[in-house]
Amino acid sequence: MPVYGYSKAVVNEYGLHELSEVSFSLGQSDLRRVAAFLLECADRADSGDWRNSHQHIGRPLTDCDVIVIHPDPIPPMRVVDNAQ
């Protein structure tokens, strides 16, 4: 599953990029898998069940992974924007 995007800024020392858009090139079953993963992350964050800094989709989708960064993890995490 290729993932494409346009870089807006490098945000931390690990080379993480803030993107102005993200494009997924995938079939319907993988699209549903990504959608279910995003819903699960939101549900777990709402319930308080998910408190660490980020969540991986599990088995990566072919040559990439989908990761969601928790908006309010315990312990708190800070993404540094080096572009400013």
Side-chain angles (χ1 to χ4, degrees):
M1 173 194 82
V3 176
Y4 308 98
Y6 294 100
S7 182
K8 203 171 175 182
V10 177
V11 296
N12 67 16
E13 67 273 15
Y14 304 109
L16 184 67
H17 288 246
E18 177 183 352
L19 301 178
S20 58
E21 75 173 45
V22 177
S23 301
F24 295 96
S25 176
L26 44 82
Q28 295 91 323
S29 64
D30 281 336
L31 180 60
R32 286 184 178 88
R33 185 170 167 230
V34 170
F37 169 67
L38 296 175
L39 286 171
E40 178 185 356
C41 288
D43 289 345
R44 290 184 67 208
D46 284 344
S47 72
D49 183 42
W50 171 35
R51 301 305 300 161
N52 60 335
S53 65
H54 65 281
Q55 187 74 34
H56 292 258
I57 195 168
R59 178 182 54 83
L61 297 166
T62 61
D63 57 348
C64 72
D65 195 0
V66 176
I67 301 167
V68 174
I69 298 173
H70 195 296
D72 188 27
I74 293 178
M77 179 185 82
R78 191 173 75 122
V79 174
V80 177
D81 186 347
N82 293 327
Q84 294 180 359

